[in-house]
Amino acid sequence: MTPASTRLFACLHAALALLALPAHGADAPRCTYYEIATLPIRYAGPSLTPAVDGSIDEMPATMLVDTGAFDTILTMTGVVKRNLPLHMTGRYVNGISGFSRLYVTRIKEFGIGPTRTTRRLDLPVVYETAFTPAFDAILGSPFLLQRDLEFDLGAKKIRFFQPENCKDVPLRIWQEQAVSVPFERSWDSSPNPHFTAIVNGKEVDAMIDTGAHRSFLQRGAAKKVGIDVTAPGVTRMGDAGGIGADRAPHWIAPVKSIQIGDETIKDAEIGVIETQGSNGADLYLGQDFLRSHRVLFAMSQRKLYFTYTGGEVFTRGTGLEPWMRTEADGGNADAQYVLSTMYAAGRGGVTRDPLVAQVWLDMAVTSGQPHANLIAGRRALLAGHADQAIPLLRKALDQLPAERYGALWLYTARVKNGEAELARSELADSMDKQHDEAWPEPVGRFYLGKIDAARLLDEAGRDKDSAARRRCQAEGYMAEWYRAQGDTAKADALAAEARTRCAPAAPAAKTAAQAAPPAAKTPADDDAP
C-alpha cells in the first residue's frame, strides 16, 4: 500500500476499536481477547463472492473481501461510476489472468460499516481484468489483516479482535475444537500468511484466499504432487479469470489427501489452474473450504486457527449447491441470476430448462440485477424490440458503467429506435470515461465513424492469440451496425461470412451466459457461478 493509504486504513481500524473496546483493569494478567467490531458479509456479483457494503465519495459501494488481493484497490467499475480521473504509475501487477497496468486515483471519502474517513487518499486502480468487475473496490490483505480477523462465511460475518496478554496462549473463541498452524516465511509483501499443507504426502506452500470461488492448486504444484491434468478422471472446466486480460485454463482433479495441521481430508477433488501471471503460493484455499470452516487469522500470534463446522470441504463447484438455492429463495438477486444461467445452459448438475431459467431471470431483472438486465436487454434487441431493450440496457450500464459490450448493444438499440444522436453521445461518453484502449474499443470507434471497416478488421487481427475470435466479433458487430443503419444487403453479406467461418463467436450467436460473463475474480469460470 502507499503510505497515505496505510495511515488511512490504520485510522479506520482505530475508529473500529473505539466503537467496541471495553474498559479493563491495567493489572489483569490473563489473556483477554476483545472483539473490536463485526461486519456482515453477503454473497454478491455473478460469482457470488463475499462482499461488504461501504461508500466511496459518499456513493454506496460494494467491496469484495479478498485476503488474496495484494492491496486495497478500486476497480474500473468503481472509477467510471464516479468519473474519477486516472493517473499512470508506470507499474504493472500480475494475477491469475496475466498482467495489468496499475493506475492511481484520488478519492475524498471512504467508508466501511460504521466507520468512514474524509481524508483525501490516493488508491491504486487495476485496469485490465478478464471480466467486467461487479465490485467498486477490493478490500485486500493490508487492510483486512491489520488486526486479528475471524472469517466466518457460514454465518456471513467477519470479526476483528484485539488481544491482550495472549501471545503464547492458545486462543479458544469457538466451541468446536480448533486446529492451529504456524505462519511460514514468505517473500511477497502481502501480510496474508503462508503456511505448510501436505497434498498427496508432499509439502506445499498454502494460503487462504477469501476471494477465490474454489480452492485450487497451481498447475506446477499439482504436477509436483502427482496430479496430471491429462489423466482419466480429470475434468476440464471453463477458463478462469481475474486480474489481467487473458484467461487461465482450469481443471478439476481427484486428490488422495490434503492435510492442514491435524486435519486430513481424503479422496477429495480440487481445482488446478494454469495461472497466466506469477502467484505467491502452491495451494489456495477458497470459499468452498471456508463454507465448511471458521478461520481465525491470529496475526498477533503468527498462527492460523481452523475449526470444521460441517459439510463437504472441497466441492467440484459445478453443481447447484444448497446454499445457492437458499440465497436465491431468500431474495438475493445475484443468486437468482446465477440460477437462471445454470438452468439456461443445463450445467451445474441441473437439466436444461428454459422456462425455469426465464423465471429466475425475470426475478433477477425485477430486483435490478445488472447482468440479468444485460441479458434481457440483449435478447430484446436481437428479437427486434429495441424500445424494450433500451431501458434494460441503460439500467444495467448505470450499475456496470465499465461494461464494454453492453455499451455497443445500447448504441445499436438507440439507432434502431431512431435516437442516433443520443446513441453517439452515450457511446462517446462511455468510451471517454473508461480511458479505454482495449478490445472491443475499436468497434466503438467504428460505430462513431472514427475508423473504417478495413481499419477495424486490421486492429482485430493484431493480437495473434485473439485474432480469429476478434475478427469474428468485428464482423458480427459490423453486421449489426449496417442493419441498424438500414443497409440490409451489407449486413446479410457480413452475417453470412461470419456464419461460415465463425458463427459461434459472432455477437448474435452469443448464449445468455456468454452475453454477460461473471465478475473478475480468482477463479471465476465460463461455466461456473
Side-chain angles (χ1 to χ4, degrees):
M1 294 179 102
T2 62
S5 61
T6 301
R7 288 196 301 271
L8 173 60
F9 291 122
C11 290
L12 280 172
H13 267 291
L16 283 171
L18 291 174
L19 288 173
L21 192 62
H24 59 279
D27 57 349
R30 66 187 182 88
C31 168
T32 308
Y33 211 54
Y34 299 113
E35 181 180 329
I36 297 173
T38 299
L39 295 178
I41 58 179
R42 59 185 176 88
Y43 287 108
S47 292
L48 296 180
T49 312
V52 297
D53 292 322
S55 62
I56 300 171
D57 284 357
E58 300 182 345
M59 289 179 60
T62 300
M63 303 181 182
L64 174 66
V65 179
D66 187 1
T67 57
F70 69 95
D71 205 341
T72 293
I73 61 178
L74 297 188
T75 66
M76 284 302 295
T77 294
V79 166
V80 177
K81 194 180 292 184
R82 293 162 181 81
N83 199 22
L84 296 171
L86 290 181
H87 304 285
M88 296 184 65
T89 65
R91 297 164 52 203
Y92 285 78
V93 294
N94 62 73
I96 190 171
S97 300
F99 291 84
S100 169
R101 288 167 289 178
L102 191 66
Y103 288 82
V104 68
T105 192
R106 175 163 292 184
I107 63 172
K108 301 184 291 292
E109 181 268 347
F110 192 96
I112 303 170
T115 68
R116 66 188 293 267
T117 178
T118 55
R119 185 182 301 181
R120 291 183 180 272
L121 172 68
D122 292 333
L123 282 182
V125 178
V126 168
Y127 191 79
E128 284 93 1
T129 52
F131 302 110
T132 303
F135 304 95
D136 299 281
I138 300 174
L139 295 180
S141 55
F143 172 80
L144 293 167
L145 300 178
Q146 291 187 74
R147 306 284 188 189
D148 287 12
L149 171 72
E150 180 199 24
F151 191 89
D152 188 348
L153 189 55
K156 297 200 292 189
K157 65 181 180 181
I158 56 176
R159 294 195 292 170
F160 297 96
F161 291 93
Q162 176 66 47
E164 187 165 310
N165 300 317
C166 298
K167 183 177 180 181
D168 300 316
V169 178
L171 299 173
R172 296 184 177 90
I173 64 171
W174 308 306
Q175 292 183 347
E176 300 88 352
Q177 184 176 356
V179 172
S180 67
V181 294
F183 293 2
E184 300 285 351
R185 169 177 284 190
S186 63
W187 301 105
D188 55 50
S189 59
S190 169
N192 192 0
H194 290 232
F195 56 95
T196 296
I198 300 174
V199 179
N200 289 347
K202 297 184 178 180
E203 291 188 351
V204 297
D205 181 34
M207 63 190 297
I208 300 290
D209 186 353
T210 62
H213 188 70
R214 304 185 189 98
S215 302
F216 69 95
L217 285 161
Q218 291 208 62
R219 186 174 181 180
K223 184 177 181 180
K224 183 175 71 174
V225 302
I227 296 175
D228 180 1
V229 297
T230 66
V234 177
T235 303
R236 178 67 161 90
M237 306 292 288
D239 291 343
I243 290 177
D246 297 324
R247 306 297 297 278
H250 180 202
W251 300 263
I252 295 291
V255 61
K256 295 176 182 177
S257 65
I258 298 177
Q259 181 179 345
I260 302 163
D262 294 330
E263 179 181 0
T264 301
I265 303 99
K266 294 184 177 181
D267 299 322
E269 291 179 315
I270 196 165
V272 177
I273 296 182
E274 189 170 8
T275 56
Q276 303 303 294
S278 62
N279 280 271
D282 298 323
L283 170 65
Y284 290 78
L285 298 178
Q287 293 154 35
D288 53 353
F289 178 86
L290 295 167
R291 268 186 290 274
S292 60
H293 292 79
R294 295 190 189 98
V295 177
L296 176 66
F297 295 82
M299 308 304 290
S300 58
Q301 292 187 343
R302 296 188 55 78
K303 289 182 180 179
L304 280 164
Y305 289 81
F306 304 88
T307 184
Y308 175 68
T309 58
E312 191 175 5
V313 178
F314 298 110
T315 62
R316 288 181 63 89
T318 56
L320 176 52
E321 298 175 42
W323 67 269
M324 296 179 186
R325 184 60 186 253
T326 299
E327 288 287 321
D329 288 338
N332 184 328
D334 293 322
Q336 292 166 355
Y337 164 75
V338 168
L339 262 63
S340 76
T341 63
M342 295 176 78
Y343 279 103
R347 61 179 173 81
V350 302
T351 302
R352 184 176 181 273
D353 191 329
L355 293 178
V356 173
Q358 189 62 50
V359 169
W360 284 115
L361 184 67
D362 290 343
M363 293 174 67
V365 168
T366 300
S367 299
Q369 209 283 339
H371 296 86
N373 276 284
L374 277 175
I375 287 180
R378 180 63 169 162
R379 287 178 177 174
L381 176 60
L382 295 177
H385 305 300
D387 58 331
Q388 298 175 23
I390 289 169
L392 293 166
L393 294 172
R394 183 65 270 166
K395 187 173 184 179
L397 291 171
D398 287 342
Q399 296 179 71
L400 293 174
E403 165 57 40
R404 297 164 179 158
Y405 290 96
L408 301 176
W409 303 342
L410 179 59
Y411 172 92
T412 302
R414 293 278 195 203
V415 172
K416 286 187 174 182
N417 204 45
E419 305 173 27
E421 288 305 313
L422 180 56
R424 289 180 57 83
S425 64
E426 279 183 323
L427 182 57
D429 183 59
S430 174
M431 292 173 63
D432 287 344
K433 287 181 178 178
Q434 291 191 48
H435 314 275
D436 204 356
E437 299 175 358
W439 185 263
E441 186 268 349
V443 179
R445 285 190 282 128
F446 171 77
Y447 278 10
L448 296 175
K450 296 182 178 181
I451 59 174
D452 60 15
R455 175 67 179 275
L456 171 57
L457 293 175
D458 177 67
E459 293 198 22
R462 289 183 180 179
D463 186 323
K464 64 178 182 179
D465 294 330
S466 305
R469 174 178 58 84
R470 289 182 178 179
R471 183 180 176 88
C472 291
Q473 283 194 348
E475 289 175 346
Y477 281 112
M478 287 164 58
E480 288 194 17
W481 186 83
Y482 286 124
R483 199 174 304 282
Q485 304 290 330
D487 192 341
T488 56
K490 203 171 269 190
D492 289 344
L494 274 169
E497 184 176 348
R499 280 194 299 270
T500 300
R501 293 195 304 105
C502 49
K510 279 179 168 286
T511 66
Q514 291 170 322
K521 182 52 205 138
T522 310
D525 296 289
D526 285 347
D527 63 349

